């Protein structure tokens, strides 16, 4: 069992993260279909020990990878291959990890079951934004259905909502980050990240694998280096010193940033420039 566990950790990829509604816990999903719950309050404490950086709960959520996670006021939503599941945060923390519901968004044919790489909650509209292997951005009212915003030429890996405006950012295999107006469904800005010398890494490709926004600021990475951007000027300002491509990045309480990718670790930056420590499955 110890050898098997070591091999799993060696080949692990963390695709997704989400902070709990109370702000005390971080959920992370990996390529084995597992979701781990970490206590951020314990890990960030001045009295934190190595045990504080281990999961408090781990459970199997999907048969395949957990590509995306997002939290509502009560639920943790997870996405895999063509399905979205809901779990109650209150029960998860009590180690009662029972699925509440499962939904399968409609696709062009019953034979097409693309992965859902990104989930994003739009609280003002009580809707869920989904994107993935069909190269399209869907908005799903949790009760009524979907519509599509088109524009990318390849897989969409990640989404981020600008809270102060009805706009959403999407990052794709085609190397671009696109800004959409949710009121009109129109694309209003395109940033081709791989064309900027500061963050380009041609040896890793041009794909955008992770994306997060804090109003006027954006962090994105993947093939290009993980980089902080000023959105209004479309200017890269900080390149983070991480060699491996990242699969997911999250802002936490303004100046704390968590990033994860091709390993069993979640790197935690406490001032947007210094990696303070790592959480581990």
């Amino acid at each position: 069992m110890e050898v098997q566990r070591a091999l799993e950790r060696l080949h692990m990829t963390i695709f997704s993260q989400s902070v709990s509604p109370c702000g005390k816990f971080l959920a992370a999903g990996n390529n084995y279909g597992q979701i781990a719950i970490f206590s951020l309050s314990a890990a960030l404490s001045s009295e934190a020990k190595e045990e504080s950086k281990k999961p408090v709960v781990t459970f199997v959520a999907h048969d395949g990878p957990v590509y995306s996670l997002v939290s509502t006021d009560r639920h943790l939503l997870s996405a895999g291959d063509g399905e979205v599941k809901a779990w109650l945060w209150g029960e998860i923390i009590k180690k009662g990890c029972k699925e509440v519901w499962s939904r399968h968004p409609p696709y062009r044919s019953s034979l097409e079951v693309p992965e859902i790489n990104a989930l994003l909650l739009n609280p003002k509209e009580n809707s869920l934004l989904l994107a993935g292997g069909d190269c399209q951005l869907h908005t799903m009212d949790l009760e009524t259905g979907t519509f599509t915003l088109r524009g990318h030429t390849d897989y969409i890996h990640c989404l981020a909502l600008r809270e102060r405006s009805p706009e959403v950012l999407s990052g794709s295999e085609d190397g671009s980050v696109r800004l959409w107006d949710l009121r009109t469904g129109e694309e209003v800005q395109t940033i081709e990240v791989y064309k900027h010398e500061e963050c380009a890494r041609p040896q890793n490709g041009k794909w955008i694998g992770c994306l997060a926004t804090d109003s006027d600021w954006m962090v994105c990475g993947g093939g290009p280096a993980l980089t902080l951007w000023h959105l209004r000027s479309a200017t890269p300002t900080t390149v983070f010193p991480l060699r491996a491509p990242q699969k997911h990045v999250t802002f936490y309480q303004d100046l704390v940033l968590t990033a994860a990718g091709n390993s069993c670790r979640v790197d935690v930056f406490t001032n947007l420039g210094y990696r303070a420590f790592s959480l581990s499955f």
Side-chain angles (χ1 to χ4, degrees), residues 6 14-15 24 37 41 66 76 96 98 134 141 144 202 255 262:
I14 298 175
F15 285 107
K24 296 180 180 179
I37 309 298
S41 54
V66 182
L76 174 66
K98 186 177 180 181
D134 64 348
D141 186 289
T144 62
L255 291 179
N262 294 336

Side-chain angles (χ1 to χ4, degrees), residues 103-134:
R103 296 185 181 177
H104 299 76
Y107 293 107
R108 286 188 290 259
S109 75
S110 58
L111 297 177
E112 181 184 37
V113 186
E115 67 272 23
I116 299 173
N117 293 322
L119 289 179
L120 191 62
L121 188 71
N122 185 358
K124 293 180 180 178
E125 301 294 332
N126 192 31
S127 61
L128 192 64
L129 298 165
L130 306 91
D134 64 348

Side-chain angles (χ1 to χ4, degrees), residues 117-191:
N117 293 322
L119 289 179
L120 191 62
L121 188 71
N122 185 358
K124 293 180 180 178
E125 301 294 332
N126 192 31
S127 61
L128 192 64
L129 298 165
L130 306 91
D134 64 348
C135 311
Q136 297 176 349
L137 174 61
H138 303 277
T139 298
M140 183 176 74
D141 186 289
L142 294 177
E143 297 179 358
T144 62
T146 67
F147 67 84
T148 302
L149 303 177
R150 303 174 186 271
H152 283 285
T153 59
D154 214 327
Y155 283 19
I156 299 174
H157 287 291
C158 45
L159 299 172
L161 186 69
R162 297 186 77 187
E163 293 184 359
R164 297 179 189 175
S165 58
E167 296 173 335
V168 64
L169 292 159
S170 59
S172 170
E173 191 83 12
D174 63 19
S176 69
V177 172
R178 300 177 189 242
L179 180 63
W180 304 87
D181 188 324
L182 289 173
R183 294 165 297 188
T184 64
E186 297 295 322
E187 179 186 329
V188 295
Q189 184 180 12
T190 301
I191 300 174

Side-chain angles (χ1 to χ4, degrees), residues 161-233:
L161 186 69
R162 297 186 77 187
E163 293 184 359
R164 297 179 189 175
S165 58
E167 296 173 335
V168 64
L169 292 159
S170 59
S172 170
E173 191 83 12
D174 63 19
S176 69
V177 172
R178 300 177 189 242
L179 180 63
W180 304 87
D181 188 324
L182 289 173
R183 294 165 297 188
T184 64
E186 297 295 322
E187 179 186 329
V188 295
Q189 184 180 12
T190 301
I191 300 174
E192 294 179 295
V193 178
Y194 67 98
K195 292 185 177 180
H196 291 257
E197 185 177 353
E198 303 95 316
C199 46
R201 295 189 298 191
Q203 71 276 16
N204 291 332
K206 63 182 183 179
W207 55 280
I208 301 300
C210 63
L211 182 64
T213 184
D214 179 12
S215 189
D216 291 334
W217 297 91
M218 169 185 79
V219 172
C220 69
L226 189 70
T227 306
L228 179 68
W229 291 72
H230 184 249
L231 276 174
R232 288 185 183 177
S233 60

